Amino acid sequence: MQPRTPLVLCVLLSQVLLLTSAEDLDCTPGFQQKVFHINQPAEFIEDQSILNLTFSDCKGNDKLRYEVSSPYFKVNSDGGLVALRNITAVGKTLFVHARTPHAEDMAELVIVGGRDIQGSLQVVDSDRPERSKFRLTGKGVDQEPKGIFRINENTGSVSVTRTLDREVIAVYQLFVETTDVNGKTLEGPVPLEVIVIDQNDNRPIFREGPYIGHVMEGSPTGTTVMRMTAFDADDPATDNALLRYNIRQQTPDKPSPNMFYIDPEKGDIVTVVSPALLDRETLENPKYELIIEAQDMAGLDVGLTGTATATIMIDDKNDHSPKFTKKEFQATVEEGAVGVIVNLTVEDKDDPTTGAWRAAYTIINGNPGQSFEIHTNPQTNEGMLSVVKPLDYEISAFHTLLIKVENEDPLVPDVSYGASSTATVHITVLDVNEGPVFYPDPMMVTRRENISVGSVLLTVNATDPDSLQHQTIRYSVYKDPAGWLNINPINGTVDTTAVLDRESPFVDNSVYTALFLAIDSGNPPATGTGTLLITLEDVNDNAPFIYPTVAEVCDDAKNLSVVILGASDKDLHPNTDPFKFEIHKQAVPDKVWKISKINNTHALVSLLQNLNKANYNLPIMVTDSGKPPMTNITDLRVQVCSCRNSKVDCNAAGALHFSLPSLLLLSLFSLACL
């Protein structure tokens, strides 16, 4: 079988524009004629008039603009349709869109004899079997977006069902095949590529705003400020997306209405005025707003436009030095006071938001003792001069400072700091009645505790800083927690009014603290405070004591140890341990009790035999190591209890058993009372 003749495909693309109807008015706005018929010549000649269109918005046609559906034609402002270059074929239909701020309308131009680009695509097969049918498949037919194209199954005519948008889908890949009456494929599929020819239906858009640029004042002519670029969704291979830029408006328009220029192709904005006109301090407003227009069709009148605002800031440079508002400043301060005493004011013409305006102050003379500091107030730019070390009127009643002011940022090379960038501050110190001062402070003495009442400890010394006022000073006790001290109000002699006790709760780590006042005779009087620290040396004046004083033991205990005794002494070494433990005046013939030394502070009390259930008082004598030593006798109460079946019963041990010496002493005491 010979192969069938291949399908012959002829592809034409329609361009569809939507028409906007104008409202019915007394004067009907729009084109006076909606449809024109033009015979297709052998060639449309460039700039040769083809026909005249008449459009009216009934308001004078202000800002009338025309747009043609083909990029090869334009409409002049008088309504004349001309070709932009020599053209031999343009299709069957053109559309002209006219608009003003008040109305718009569309006119249709039918090219008689032109190639049909509006109707359909025709698929022809000269050797197609009888009763066979055409079938169309692909994206836009039976694939999403479905139903855009359809084919006449008998004639092979492919038609478009709705408007195409190249910016959504630029190319459709379809397939055509022939089938028999049962749907079986006879031939194909053969690819059919539908290319959507671009129409200039997208305006340029500035998508990257806000657009803010900066240029330094005094910049040379031609300085690039920023770049403005727009986007056009139309085919970048055509003039539909070929953009040109221009500046439509500048606000403000002074000192020149043309401060800037924009490169029509690149979108670069540059300065075009002399550096002298870019002076931020003389400008009415250092911020300029430019309305930038981007137009497609390479800037032709038929091109669509889009606009954006460019904000250009004239940035400050440090071309003005700060200047003091006065050459000399005055300030007064009381002696002994600290804080801000005066604010130094300056003027600076530079931008207050920059380091070219912010001031930095320095004391360059008159501050050898570093008694003064100066800081900048960030809100007002003033210099806040402060006293940081109290001043003494008696040393110096007057001070003179030399202050310099500079900017945080360096000055430009042709500007320098002058004489007005320095100022003098005269400071007067006011005399105040100052309190007397103790010397030394604190005052320290060392004494043995228990010294006799009336002993002199020391004589305090306080002087009055107000040496020029010749005032007298009186003394008094301010704080004496234990009430041990007295001070002579005239000469400041301190003596004791009670025994000093190192072991007193008012003594901390052997040191007793007291406070005294010195009061001058000023009006009003001023007071000074002095501290006395008395270190107390230890004396062996505290006898040791034992612990515990009660013990229990079982009457049948195999271990005859009764209790471990400890001893303590409030005194300090060497007036404390080692301690000596003894049983005082033991009278038990068979040596029932025994005490044994464990270490310097503890001893063991034990029995030499079991005792009957009872309470026993055992006198314990403990002696410290002081010279002379001190002794204390304390009764240790020993309870001998009955211990049976893990139960301890001491209740029957009620009767006291005394040692023989204790009984003799009790008998003698009873006889003495008869």
Side-chain angles (χ1 to χ4, degrees):
M1 171 184 272
Q2 295 297 324
R4 290 182 177 273
T5 303
L7 294 175
V8 179
L9 305 180
C10 175
V11 181
L12 300 176
L13 175 64
S14 63
Q15 299 180 341
V16 181
L17 295 177
L18 300 178
L19 303 181
T20 302
S21 299
E23 297 180 357
D24 291 331
L25 302 174
D26 292 340
C27 169
T28 303
F31 285 101
Q32 303 306 305
Q33 182 177 342
K34 303 289 187 179
V35 180
F36 298 83
H37 291 80
I38 305 171
N39 291 322
Q40 169 75 58
E43 184 177 35
F44 289 99
I45 306 302
E46 180 180 356
D47 289 335
Q48 179 178 323
S49 178
I50 300 171
L51 58 81
N52 288 320
L53 300 137
T54 304
F55 175 89
S56 174
D57 66 354
C58 302
K59 293 184 179 293
N61 283 357
D62 183 37
K63 298 181 180 179
L64 173 61
R65 298 175 65 85
Y66 292 99
E67 298 171 5
V68 183
S69 61
S70 171
Y72 309 115
F73 294 87
K74 73 173 182 177
V75 177
N76 294 324
S77 58
D78 59 358
L81 175 68
V82 296
L84 294 175
R85 58 174 179 262
N86 296 342
I87 306 170
T88 58
V90 297
K92 288 205 64 175
T93 308
L94 294 178
F95 295 93
V96 177
H97 183 201
R99 74 172 185 271
T100 72
H102 306 290
E104 61 180 297
D105 197 5
M106 188 81 69
E108 181 181 4
L109 285 65
V110 179
I111 311 298
V112 179
R115 287 172 34 182
D116 184 5
I117 64 172
Q118 177 65 29
S120 62
L121 308 176
Q122 186 71 34
V123 181
V124 180
D125 186 352
S126 60
D127 193 18
R128 183 166 60 90
E130 293 183 6
R131 301 182 64 187
S132 63
K133 297 181 179 181
F134 291 98
R135 181 164 62 195
L136 185 66
T137 60
K139 184 176 181 180
V141 182
D142 56 350
Q143 300 175 22
E144 294 294 341
K146 296 179 180 180
I148 295 179
F149 301 96
R150 64 187 176 189
I151 190 169
N152 187 305
E153 62 182 12
N154 297 315
T155 66
S157 174
V158 178
S159 59
V160 179
T161 64
R162 56 180 180 266
T163 303
L164 303 180
D165 189 346
R166 189 203 67 85
E167 286 70 48
V168 177
I169 300 177
V171 178
Y172 292 88
Q173 190 68 46
L174 307 181
F175 297 90
V176 180
E177 58 186 344
T178 58
T179 66
D180 60 18
V181 292
N182 295 319
K184 181 180 179 180
T185 301
L186 299 176
E187 185 179 8
V190 175
L192 171 62
E193 185 177 75
V194 178
I195 300 173
V196 183
I197 299 174
D198 187 39
Q199 175 179 303
N200 191 20
D201 57 349
N202 289 276
R203 297 181 180 278
I205 299 174
F206 291 90
R207 301 190 299 185
E208 301 175 357
Y211 297 91
I212 301 175
H214 293 264
V215 62
M216 188 70 69
E217 65 172 327
S219 295
T221 303
T223 299
T224 300
V225 180
M226 61 192 299
R227 172 170 288 187
M228 297 281 289
T229 56
F231 168 78
D232 194 312
D234 290 318
D235 188 352
T238 68
D239 288 351
N240 294 340
L242 184 59
L243 305 183
R244 294 293 182 264
Y245 300 93
N246 69 88
I247 299 174
R248 293 185 56 183
Q249 181 180 332
Q250 170 191 302
T251 306
D253 59 357
K254 296 178 181 179
S256 168
N258 298 304
M259 300 284 290
F260 306 94
Y261 165 79
I262 187 168
D263 186 302
E265 296 184 4
K266 297 180 180 179
D268 290 337
I269 299 176
V270 300
T271 62
V272 293
V273 294
S274 67
L277 292 182
L278 278 181
D279 186 354
R280 196 198 65 85
E281 287 75 36
T282 61
L283 293 176
E284 178 181 309
N285 188 341
K287 180 174 75 172
Y288 286 86
E289 289 190 349
L290 307 180
I291 304 299
I292 305 299
E293 180 183 71
Q295 188 171 28
D296 59 20
M297 299 299 294
L300 296 176
D301 291 343
V302 295
L304 303 179
T305 61
T307 61
T309 300
T311 300
I312 299 178
M313 307 297 299
I314 310 301
D315 290 340
D316 186 38
K317 64 180 180 181
N318 197 10
D319 55 352
H320 294 85
S321 62
K323 299 178 180 180
F324 283 102
T325 58
K326 295 189 295 186
K327 192 62 180 175
E328 294 184 348
F329 294 85
Q330 306 291 331
T332 58
V333 58
E334 292 183 349
E335 63 173 329
V338 295
V340 177
I341 59 174
V342 66
N343 291 319
L344 310 182
T345 53
V346 296
E347 293 178 345
D348 195 316
K349 295 181 179 179
D350 291 312
D351 185 354
T353 63
T354 67
W357 177 82
R358 291 190 293 270
Y361 297 87
T362 307
I363 302 174
I364 59 177
N365 196 13
N367 191 29
Q370 305 302 309
S371 298
F372 303 92
E373 287 183 359
I374 188 166
H375 301 280
T376 304
N377 185 317
Q379 281 74 42
T380 65
N381 217 30
E382 295 176 343
M384 301 182 295
L385 181 63
S386 303
V387 177
V388 294
K389 294 182 181 179
L391 304 176
D392 192 340
Y393 171 84
E394 284 69 33
I395 295 178
S396 178
F398 299 97
H399 296 267
T400 300
L401 305 180
L402 186 61
I403 310 293
K404 180 180 180 180
V405 62
E406 298 176 323
N407 287 132
E408 290 183 1
D409 292 347
L411 296 173
V412 297
D414 55 341
V415 178
S416 61
Y417 296 104
S420 57
S421 295
T422 58
T424 302
V425 183
H426 300 286
I427 302 165
T428 301
V429 182
L430 303 178
D431 189 22
V432 296
N433 188 22
E434 300 172 88
V437 178
F438 284 86
Y439 183 82
D441 189 25
M443 302 161 282
M444 293 181 287
V445 297
T446 301
R447 295 290 187 273
R448 290 174 62 86
E449 64 173 331
N450 299 338
I451 62 174
S452 59
V453 175
S455 298
V456 175
L457 299 179
L458 81 164
T459 298
V460 302
N461 179 36
T463 59
D464 193 341
D466 301 305
S467 57
L468 302 179
Q469 298 184 21
H470 306 291
Q471 298 179 126
T472 59
I473 296 175
R474 294 181 63 85
Y475 300 96
S476 65
V477 177
Y478 179 43
K479 286 186 179 179
D480 179 16
W484 292 343
L485 306 176
N486 175 67
I487 188 169
N488 186 301
I490 304 301
N491 60 24
T493 299
V494 179
D495 56 15
T496 63
T497 60
V499 176
L500 307 183
D501 184 6
R502 193 198 65 82
E503 290 75 35
S504 167
F506 300 106
V507 176
D508 182 18
N509 197 25
S510 300
V511 177
Y512 180 71
T513 302
L515 301 179
F516 297 96
L517 298 179
I519 307 169
D520 66 20
S521 58
N523 186 20
T527 302
T529 304
T531 302
L532 173 61
L533 303 178
I534 305 173
T535 301
L536 296 175
E537 296 178 340
D538 188 42
V539 173
N540 193 20
D541 56 351
N542 290 276
F545 57 90
I546 64 167
Y547 57 89
T549 58
V550 178
E552 293 180 354
V553 65
C554 293
D555 57 358
D556 60 350
K558 295 181 179 180
N559 182 1
L560 297 180
S561 297
V562 177
V563 67
I564 294 177
L565 296 178
S568 183
D569 194 318
K570 293 182 179 180
D571 293 316
L572 298 177
H573 188 77
N575 296 323
T576 56
D577 62 273
F579 298 113
K580 180 181 179 182
F581 296 89
E582 300 173 277
I583 298 176
H584 182 58
K585 296 182 179 180
Q586 181 174 338
V588 180
D590 54 359
K591 303 288 186 179
V592 176
W593 303 96
K594 180 182 179 181
I595 190 164
S596 305
K597 180 179 178 181
I598 297 176
N599 54 33
N600 288 344
T601 58
H602 291 78
L604 173 65
V605 176
S606 58
L607 287 168
L608 298 177
Q609 64 183 36
N610 291 111
L611 295 178
N612 294 328
K613 182 179 178 181
N615 289 338
Y616 298 86
N617 278 343
L618 184 64
I620 302 297
M621 182 170 65
V622 59
T623 305
D624 64 23
S625 297
K627 295 181 179 180
M630 294 195 72
T631 299
N632 184 25
I633 299 174
T634 303
D635 281 341
L636 172 65
R637 184 182 182 186
V638 180
Q639 294 178 307
V640 180
C641 305
S642 174
C643 304
R644 301 290 185 273
N645 300 323
S646 301
K647 293 183 179 180
V648 179
D649 181 12
C650 300
N651 291 334
L656 288 174
H657 285 225
F658 297 94
S659 62
L660 180 59
S662 298
L663 291 173
L664 292 173
L665 287 173
L666 181 59
S667 300
L668 291 173
F669 180 77
S670 300
L671 291 172
C673 294
L674 293 176

